[in-house]
Amino acid sequence: MTAPFDFTSSTASPMKTDIAIIGAGPGGYATALRAAELGLSVMLIERDSRVGGTCLLRGCIPSKALITASRTVDAVHDGARMGIDAQLTSIDATALGAYRQHAVDTETNGLAGLLAARHITLVHGTAGLAPDGTVTVTPAPHESQVRVGASLDTLEDAGDAVSIDATDVVLATGGRPRALPGMPFGGRVLDSTAALELGTLPQRAIIVGAGSVALEFASMWRAMGADVTLLVRHDTPLSHAHRRSAVVLTRELKRRGITIVNHAHVTAANQTSDGMNVTVTIDDNVGGTARTTSIDGDYLLVAIGRDPNTAWIGQAGIELDDAGLVVTDEHGRTNRPHVWAVGDITPGKQLAHRAFEQGIVVAESIAGMNPTAVDERTVPSVVFTTPEFASVGRTTDEAMQLDGCLEVRETIYPVMGNARMVMEQAGGSLSIVTGRLPGMPDRTVVLGVHIVAPLASELIGQAEQLIGNSIALDAAARLIQPHPTFSEMLGEALLKADGRPLNTR
């Protein structure tokens, strides 16, 4: 093991370490924490002034804080149905912003404490990778010095360039929001970061996109009282997800007052003194004569995906695919020896929890262990709308296309047979895909679970365990679910799939 760099000494050059990690988001910090746990010296390099990356600073944590607040609004409005006379008098946008920031501060400070406790050296600056594998760090934007320290509280100036000699380098540079062609972000054209940091709540919001970010903002802003128009390119949001679940979620979002326009393409967006005017082409007949309309709103949120931060990585001789993503093997190795990649810059689902596991796999691989590679089929997807959407594993079509997969069947559970769903008066759906996998022809297993329901995010972890461990369907169906809970839906669906339904036909 290489000794940790003595950042108090100005004579140490270059800095030596076992692992240099570029990017302190979920993939980067998970790699750092696990590697340090295994006794390796680690340097974690980050351009931002705080650790955590998009997830903690500008994504998962602040957005879910606001979504939590919006559900309190929903609960107030729903009280009358249960005989509770509650009224919502106002929403204090300033206090709401402070609540969001408190959630971010709590998580990022906790992470910073973990990194310090594991003796991980932090380097604040912009990293580059030289042909010989040396990592060169220059000052972060708006800084004049690279700063190095054992914690965020003890960073010290280290000059206008720092060289790091690492045995292994891990790339974890994440991504950035994608803009509409010819329509850069700015003013009232928002990316997700700007939308989270608005000092006021929109009264009329126009959102372009059909994925989790677009749907979560649509659901949250609608709960907060905004008129929301969602512009979708295809015939439904989540067009690549489980079809039945996507259709049911679309129905529920419309039922909550969100206007969803399918087959819509933004052709122009003009900022006015107090809002946006957006020109939209709508192809109702898909290939027929399209019609053009204009929509007015306070803001235009563009949430059409994210692009990887890999331009400089490709210039460093790392192989990229056509989408600009880093090509790796299943354990994260790139085409250059001792250079690895994790997170949103690699092909696959751009999700924090996937990046966590990738980081663990890479750290253990570097340490000489033989970890099991990330199983992409067991990476759950969650959309924190109201109701929530959660999915893991294969759809029926995907299972049927798998060579050697036999007896594929989809079981649909009638969710209003669940007592908690009745109490909540929540629409939803639950589908289980089962079949016999190649190499295991003697037993039926769960291949996929797709849920639209309150707390679907909390149910999907149980489904992931069944799929990831290839639990036989009859054994899974015998697991006892507490009563009365939403989780009983999964238990009842498993019983139905096993041919012995109890409370359904």
Side-chain angles (χ1 to χ4, degrees):
M1 174 182 126
T2 300
F5 173 68
D6 180 7
F7 47 85
T8 64
S9 171
S10 60
T11 61
S13 182
M15 298 158 62
K16 292 184 179 292
T17 186
D18 292 324
I19 304 177
I21 302 166
I22 304 175
Y29 72 69
T31 308
L33 291 170
R34 181 60 178 138
E37 190 175 50
L38 292 170
L40 300 173
S41 61
V42 180
M43 290 185 177
L44 184 59
I45 308 161
E46 175 56 55
R47 291 195 312 168
D48 206 301
S49 61
R50 305 188 72 177
V51 292
T54 294
C55 179
L56 269 66
L57 298 173
R58 298 174 289 276
C60 315
I61 299 305
S63 67
K64 302 315 171 284
L66 294 180
I67 287 168
T68 299
S70 74
R71 290 180 177 169
T72 301
V73 175
D74 277 333
V76 172
H77 290 322
D78 196 38
R81 178 177 62 84
M82 296 172 278
I84 299 171
D85 184 10
Q87 294 183 351
L88 180 68
T89 57
S90 66
I91 297 174
D92 185 335
T94 301
L96 187 63
Y99 164 73
R100 180 205 73 222
Q101 191 59 46
H102 175 73
V104 171
D105 292 344
T106 300
E107 293 302 307
T108 54
N109 291 341
L111 172 60
L114 276 175
L115 296 171
R118 301 274 175 94
H119 306 292
I120 294 165
T121 301
L122 298 179
V123 182
H124 180 213
T126 301
L129 183 63
D132 65 357
T134 300
V135 176
T136 301
V137 186
T138 55
H142 311 298
E143 299 285 350
S144 61
Q145 296 269 312
V146 178
R147 307 191 72 212
V148 183
S151 69
L152 289 176
D153 298 329
T154 61
L155 294 179
E156 298 180 2
D157 290 345
D160 58 7
V162 169
S163 180
I164 299 174
D165 182 6
T167 305
D168 288 89
V169 176
V170 180
L171 308 173
T173 52
R176 63 192 184 279
R178 181 183 305 146
L180 285 168
M183 300 179 195
F185 294 116
R188 292 179 177 270
V189 180
L190 309 176
D191 62 12
S192 55
T193 300
L196 286 170
E197 295 175 350
L198 280 177
T200 184
L201 291 168
Q203 295 180 333
R204 300 171 302 162
I206 306 168
I207 302 175
V208 183
S212 59
V213 174
L215 296 182
E216 288 176 2
F217 270 101
S219 183
M220 174 183 67
W221 278 344
R222 179 59 191 148
M224 296 285 193
D227 291 330
V228 177
T229 300
L230 181 68
L231 305 177
V232 178
R233 288 185 58 189
H234 300 289
D235 61 348
T236 182
L238 300 177
S239 58
H240 298 296
H242 178 254
R243 178 69 181 180
R244 175 182 171 82
S245 299
V247 170
V248 170
L249 180 60
T250 299
R251 180 195 70 202
E252 292 303 303
L253 294 177
K254 288 181 176 179
R255 191 163 70 89
R256 283 167 171 75
I258 297 171
T259 299
I260 300 177
V261 183
N262 300 326
H263 305 293
H265 301 266
V266 175
T267 56
N270 299 309
Q271 300 193 42
T272 65
S273 60
D274 61 350
M276 292 292 305
N277 178 260
V278 178
T279 303
V280 183
T281 299
I282 304 170
D283 189 3
D284 292 314
N285 298 319
V286 187
T289 302
R291 59 187 175 90
T292 299
T293 188
S294 65
I295 303 171
D296 292 321
D298 300 331
Y299 297 95
L300 171 65
L301 168 61
V302 179
I304 58 174
R306 296 177 65 83
D307 293 321
N309 293 323
T310 56
W312 72 268
I313 291 175
Q315 296 167 6
I318 306 298
E319 182 183 358
L320 306 180
D321 67 12
D322 292 341
L325 298 165
V326 180
V327 177
T328 71
D329 70 4
E330 62 180 4
H331 286 86
R333 297 180 182 87
T334 71
N335 61 303
R336 283 186 55 175
H338 297 284
V339 179
W340 311 70
V342 297
D344 290 359
I345 60 172
T346 63
K349 296 178 180 178
Q350 295 183 327
L351 297 168
H353 42 279
R354 173 178 178 263
F356 294 152
E357 185 60 23
Q358 285 180 306
I360 293 171
V361 169
V362 164
E364 293 180 351
S365 297
I366 291 172
M369 303 170 68
N370 186 29
T372 301
V374 174
D375 186 348
E376 299 289 344
R377 73 193 173 95
T378 65
V379 178
S381 297
V382 178
V383 183
F384 291 86
T385 45
T386 302
E388 294 178 344
F389 164 80
S391 176
V392 65
R394 297 178 173 92
T395 65
T396 303
D397 289 342
E398 289 169 344
M400 293 181 71
Q401 292 169 12
L402 182 65
D403 289 342
C405 192
L406 305 174
E407 298 181 22
V408 174
R409 188 162 66 97
E410 181 168 345
T411 300
I412 299 171
Y413 172 73
V415 295
M416 292 312 291
N418 176 267
R420 290 295 304 280
M421 292 291 286
V422 172
M423 295 174 196
E424 294 282 343
Q425 287 293 291
S429 70
L430 194 157
S431 298
I432 291 182
V433 180
T434 56
R436 296 177 182 266
L437 286 169
M440 293 190 296
D442 58 331
R443 59 175 170 169
T444 298
V445 296
V446 179
L447 303 175
V449 176
H450 314 280
I451 308 171
V452 177
L455 301 185
S457 58
E458 303 297 338
L459 302 180
I460 207 65
Q462 186 178 157
E464 188 266 344
Q465 293 292 323
L466 299 177
I467 295 170
N469 292 300
S470 298
I471 305 297
L473 175 60
D474 59 346
R478 291 192 179 279
L479 298 175
I480 299 172
Q481 306 291 340
H483 175 76
T485 62
F486 290 112
S487 66
E488 282 184 294
M489 290 191 293
L490 181 59
E492 292 281 355
L494 290 166
L495 282 169
K496 184 178 179 181
D498 196 38
R500 46 195 183 94
L502 185 62
N503 292 308
T504 184
R505 290 183 290 178

